Structure formats: structure tokens, C-alpha cells
Amino acid sequence: MATAATPATNMAMIKPCISSSRKVFMSSAASFSTESKEASWNRLTSSSHISSRQPFFQSIFSAPIKFKKGVTRAMSAANENKPLPGLPVDLRGKRAFIAGVADDNGYGWAIAKSLAAAGAEIIVGTWVPALNIFESSLRRGKFDESRVLPDGSLMEITKVYPMDAVYDSLDDVPEDVKSNKRYAGSSKWTVKELVESVKQDFGSIDILVHSLANGPEVSKPLLETSRNGYLAAISASSYSFVSLLKEFVSIMNPGGASISLTYIASERIIPGYGGGMSSAKAALESDTRVLAFEAGRKHKIRVNTISAGPLRSRAAKAIGFIDMMIDYSSANAPLQKELSAEEVGNAAAFLASPLASAITGAVVYVDNGLNAMGVGVDSPIFVDLDIPKDN
């Protein structure tokens, strides 16, 4: 979340400005003259339970008094030539590992950008078969336009690690995967090896982001899903988060945060989102609550998940009906607009920041409010109702 684009509220406070000739009080509530000080003091002593006023008047009203009225207003950095006031998201000095970044148009990339805009150092883990293309695109500047941060600088990715979060250790990797040419030339890409490499290179991290999922039979109805397909969806989409946090938590600094991405199919029926993926997202949300307790008690790490609305990403196109879901959301959500990846990234930056220091074990909806709806208001049944719509 870029601090330069975040409006903040600047509250005018009661502040004494004392000179040798007078004492001035700034107040956002009212303006008083010296003639009204007696009545003002009576109200003050009544509300504050102050029994004696003599010392107060001797020290405060010994010189001429002038009260001025301050202003409470919201300010945006875009309109001010000074540092942003209020409560900016500040992640300077923090290091974030984002698992599952393979291109520049998914939620993982957007989260990385928002964290970088807030000052965090970015390192990423990329699925081994996609690693060469991703690194090549970075080197050739293909992602430069997408790397632009709110201050005009480019997001820097300190290091890209090969990763396949389906495997905890090399002993878990089948021979056909080890010999697969798409994995040739890469090493130390299992979860345990990955975390050990990050530890050797950086020592510790502060933020862990899980932005990966896979369901090989996602296009199949649940009744037609095989056991292997179902378990593969659970392994890649939910247990991978457990595995990553299990290994990373030992090198996460206390007060750190872990964030994953879920989807409304975990609790609502989304026809077409099959192959066990709805079950995997439900498991991920349940695990978020349990991990929040365990990681919070043992390591002082917060664990949350973002239930994001549909996005027109390359990965989502594998489902086959992402355009329909986006149109449905735009027609039925309280906020009639297409969700942007940046909005999810900004929510993640907030959750990773000290501003969210008391938030853990939560499913945070970033979907224009679609999760709150009980019916689709674009149904012909509601045609005669006066439902506000964007034209």
C-alpha cells in the first residue's frame, strides 16, 4: 500500500503555545473569550472531577488569554507538499517472501508491489517450470511498466528462488519429477531447502505471503473428481501454506505476519469451481484460524487470509469462466466495479503492517462486498424492484 496515495486524517489537537506575554490554546472543539472562562471552568471541573481550580487559574490565567479554533480535516498527500500525516503503512526495514509469483498480473505480484511501495524488501518464490520465463522477462524489462511504484521508482525484487511447495523435502519428490526437463538446472526448490537457502542468504524474514493454488481437475464437478485430483488440490492449495509457515516460522521475526489467498467458494456454491478446489479453500481458512493460535502463541506471528474477488489473471483463466464471474460480481456486488489486483495488494500491505497488529485468524473479504449478498440482484425476479444500478 503506497503511503503517497493513502489519504490520512490530521486531527487538530489541543496544544499550548506559550510566549512571555500570553498563553494561547488551540482547540478543535470551540472558541472561548476570557469573559467566558469562569463558565468554561465550571463545566471542565464537573466533567473531569477536578476539585480545586485555584492553582489552575493562578498558573494559566495569570496572563491575557486568547483561544483559537483549530480545524479537523482529511488531507491527501497529493494535495500537500509535505510528508504524509496520520497513519501511513510503513514497512521499511521489513523483508517479505512472496510464494507463487510467476508473472506480473496476478495477486502475488500486486501484493509484492504494495509491500514494496510501503518500504519492504521483496524476495519471491517461483514455481520451477515457470522460473526461466519469469527471470528472463524481468531481465529483459518486460515487467518494467508493471514494476512502477506510486513514487515513480521501480519495484526491486532482491532475489528469485525456485520453488515447488508440493514437496517438503527432496525425499518426497518422485523420480519422474526429478528427471523432468522442466526441473533441469534448478536445485534446492523443495520447501525445506528453500527456507534453508533464504536463511543462509538473509537470516530472517518478517512477512510470508502464500499466493499459489492448483487443482488439476478444477473443471470437473466434485462428484466426478478422482481421489488423486482431490488430494492434489488440497496439497498444492492448502497444505502448501501449512508447510511453508511450518518451516519459515523459525526464521520469522516476532511480530511478523503471514497472509494467504482464499475464495468465496470455500463457503458458497460456485458451480464450475470443482476438482476439490472449494474444499481446499475451506481447509485453508480453517487452517488459518488454527495456525493463528499456534503461531501466535509460540512465535508471535499473525496469520490471516484474504478472500479475494475474481481477477482476470492468467491463472484464473484456467477455470474457464472467469469473465462470467467478473461480470456477475460487477452486476451484483454492493460496489459495482471490477476488482483490481492493487486493491488486494493494498489490503495485504495493511494486514502485514503494525496497523493490523491485533488482527489474526481472520478471513478478510476484498471483493467489493459480494460476500455479503444473499441473492443475485440481476435476476429477472427483481426486475420490478427499485435497485440502484450503475449505468
Side-chain angles (χ1 to χ4, degrees):
M1 184 180 293
T3 59
T6 308
T9 301
N10 183 29
M11 305 298 294
M13 304 297 291
I14 297 176
K15 182 178 180 181
C17 302
I18 303 173
S19 67
S20 58
S21 60
R22 64 179 182 177
K23 294 180 175 65
V24 180
F25 275 68
M26 302 296 291
S27 171
S28 62
S31 177
F32 298 104
S33 67
T34 55
E35 288 76 17
S36 65
K37 64 181 182 289
E38 184 76 17
S40 302
W41 175 251
N42 290 335
R43 289 193 296 271
L44 177 62
T45 55
S46 175
S47 62
S48 304
H49 306 288
I50 301 175
S51 60
S52 174
R53 62 177 181 171
Q54 189 61 30
F56 180 87
F57 281 114
Q58 286 179 346
S59 60
I60 301 299
F61 294 139
S62 59
I65 301 169
K66 184 178 180 181
F67 288 89
K68 292 185 178 180
K69 185 177 180 180
V71 179
T72 300
R73 62 194 176 106
M75 296 193 300
S76 173
N79 300 322
E80 300 289 337
N81 295 319
K82 58 184 179 181
L84 184 70
L87 296 172
V89 172
D90 187 354
L91 296 174
R92 288 173 295 181
K94 306 297 184 182
R95 181 177 297 115
F97 182 90
I98 298 93
V101 179
D103 56 41
D104 66 339
N105 74 340
Y107 284 137
W109 178 272
I111 292 172
K113 278 189 67 176
S114 292
L115 295 176
E121 180 182 12
I122 304 300
I123 54 179
V124 305
T126 300
W127 188 45
V128 180
L131 181 66
N132 288 336
I133 295 177
F134 180 67
E135 289 189 314
S136 175
S137 296
L138 278 175
R139 287 193 302 269
R140 292 187 287 113
K142 184 178 179 181
F143 298 150
D144 282 359
E145 184 175 350
S146 300
R147 290 170 59 203
V148 177
L149 299 176
D151 65 357
S153 64
L154 298 183
M155 173 179 67
E156 295 293 338
I157 298 177
T158 304
K159 188 163 185 177
V160 179
Y161 288 89
M163 181 194 73
D164 193 330
V166 169
Y167 306 108
D168 294 330
S169 67
L170 198 58
D171 293 337
D172 300 326
V173 183
E175 288 300 324
D176 63 324
V177 174
K178 290 180 181 178
S179 60
N180 191 308
K181 63 180 182 180
R182 296 193 299 172
Y183 286 77
S186 296
S187 61
K188 299 181 178 181
W189 42 262
T190 64
V191 172
K192 290 183 178 179
E193 293 174 309
L194 164 68
V195 174
E196 184 59 33
S197 295
V198 173
K199 181 180 179 180
Q200 292 178 0
D201 293 339
F202 297 97
S204 65
I205 67 170
D206 302 278
I207 302 162
L208 172 64
V209 177
H210 176 275
S211 178
L212 55 94
N214 183 47
E217 298 180 16
V218 66
S219 60
K220 290 184 178 181
L222 188 58
L223 277 174
E224 298 175 14
T225 299
S226 69
R227 181 181 297 272
N228 286 339
Y230 185 95
L231 294 178
I234 294 288
S235 175
S237 308
S238 56
Y239 185 77
S240 58
F241 179 54
V242 178
S243 178
L244 283 166
L245 184 56
K246 174 185 175 183
E247 300 300 329
F248 265 114
V249 76
S250 64
I251 65 168
M252 291 185 72
N253 295 316
S258 183
I259 302 164
S260 64
L261 291 167
T262 185
Y263 182 49
I264 193 66
S266 63
E267 53 185 296
R268 300 284 189 272
I269 299 168
I270 306 293
Y273 193 74
M277 281 302 301
S278 58
S279 306
K281 292 302 185 182
L284 181 64
E285 293 179 16
S286 178
D287 292 342
T288 294
R289 291 184 283 271
V290 177
L291 292 171
F293 174 77
E294 296 181 355
R297 288 296 183 95
K298 295 179 181 179
H299 304 282
K300 293 179 171 47
I301 301 299
R302 295 181 296 107
V303 184
N304 294 293
T305 187
I306 294 175
S307 184
L311 177 71
R312 220 181 303 270
S313 65
R314 292 187 184 96
K317 289 179 181 178
I319 300 174
F321 61 99
I322 188 63
D323 291 336
M324 293 170 54
M325 292 306 300
I326 291 174
D327 291 342
Y328 177 86
S329 178
S330 297
N332 293 285
L335 301 178
Q336 287 190 272
K337 63 183 180 62
E338 185 169 335
L339 183 71
S340 71
E342 181 184 10
E343 290 171 309
V344 173
N346 290 344
F350 162 72
L351 288 173
S353 77
L355 297 182
S357 60
I359 301 176
T360 192
V363 177
V364 178
Y365 296 95
V366 185
D367 61 356
N368 288 324
L370 186 64
N371 71 92
M373 300 301 297
V375 296
V377 295
D378 62 345
S379 170
I381 295 175
F382 301 107
V383 68
D384 294 328
L385 293 182
D386 186 18
I387 298 176
K389 295 179 181 179
D390 284 344
N391 296 321

